[in-house]
Amino acid sequence: MPAFPLYTRLIGTGTRRGVASMMLGMAVFVANDSLVKLASSAMPTGQLISLRNFMATLLLLALVFATGQASQLRRAVNPAVMTRSCLDLIATLLFIVALFHMPIGNVTAINMSSPLMMTAVAALFLHLPVGWRRWTAVAVGFGGIMLIVQPRAEGFNAYALVALCSTVFVVARDLSTRRIGHDIPSLIVATTNSVFVTGGALVLSAFEGWVAIGWREYTLLACAGVFLIIGYLLIVDAFRHGDIATVGPFRYTGLIWALLAGYLIWGDMPNLLAWAGIVIVVASGLYVLHREHVRGRDEAAKTVPVE
């Protein structure tokens, strides 16, 4: 996030920054989701997303002007930025449709397959080095996710394909982020994304209708909008630093944050299988970091001149 130099000084650059941004991004997205869940009983989904993203867009525009990047708004029509925003809009709408017709655990399980897909794309199409150890760590982490969400066989139906399509678009969106030039500020990317999602949600709300809501709901959505902005910026930043095969698996940490939020807000206590899954997810993430450190050390050793 070049507009916030303090973040760069604290976190650094390269893969470590990519991993840190992904983990922080997943945490604030869970905060956003929790606030949205608290407000969801009072209004239809289209209205909820429209209001949240409209507020987020206003705040993003205020940030753009406050940081002196107003002249960069013309970069919003950059093909790479527009492509990313279109992909995110499709992924969001498909996810919502699947969520309406499937248990949340099943949808989450499918959605959390994105790191596996991303690792496969990185290895097969981008020709990035992905060894068997990293493949194993990502697969084991996905196994941990299954233990956490414990999807029920009877909960899978034709909408599982819709959820899978949503996940494919999430992977495409994250991969497209790396095609956006570093000269285009993350704030501009996030603002464009928010505008697209707002537009898509308004179309959805036209079919659902709107209802009157109170100040509690407006406050919840305004706070959710703030977290959404931070999440947008962090996820864009995550895929601009480090290789995608290393950064992608740390999306798994989002489910751990979600379990914590479920316990603190709604009193949901994970069972023994879920705790085992949490341990596996954390261990696989630490192993990916360890392998990245070893690979970096080996590459550095190769560049040392031999006397």
Side-chain angles (χ1 to χ4, degrees), residues 282-302:
V282 172
S284 65
L286 291 175
Y287 184 75
V288 169
L289 279 181
H290 168 70
R291 287 304 306 169
E292 182 63 23
H293 173 72
V294 170
R295 191 178 67 165
R297 185 186 61 197
D298 291 345
E299 290 178 355
K302 292 177 183 178

Side-chain angles (χ1 to χ4, degrees), residues 115-125 135:
L116 276 174
M117 291 187 187
M118 195 165 294
T119 301
V121 170
L124 300 177
F125 298 104
W135 273 108

Side-chain angles (χ1 to χ4, degrees), residues 119 123 128-140 287-288 291:
T119 301
L128 296 177
V130 181
W132 68 269
R133 294 182 181 86
R134 194 178 303 186
W135 273 108
T136 302
V138 174
V140 169
Y287 184 75
V288 169
R291 287 304 306 169

Side-chain angles (χ1 to χ4, degrees), residues 250 253 256 277-287:
F250 286 88
T253 59
I256 296 176
I278 292 171
V279 172
I280 290 173
V281 169
V282 172
S284 65
L286 291 175
Y287 184 75

Side-chain angles (χ1 to χ4, degrees), residues 99-153:
L99 192 61
F100 283 172
H101 297 88
M102 291 176 63
I104 189 171
N106 296 54
V107 179
T108 302
I110 295 172
N111 188 251
M112 284 295 170
S113 67
S114 61
L116 276 174
M117 291 187 187
M118 195 165 294
T119 301
V121 170
L124 300 177
F125 298 104
L126 303 182
H127 306 295
L128 296 177
V130 181
W132 68 269
R133 294 182 181 86
R134 194 178 303 186
W135 273 108
T136 302
V138 174
V140 169
F142 183 66
I145 293 296
M146 294 299 101
L147 290 177
I148 294 172
V149 300
Q150 299 165 31
R152 303 187 307 275

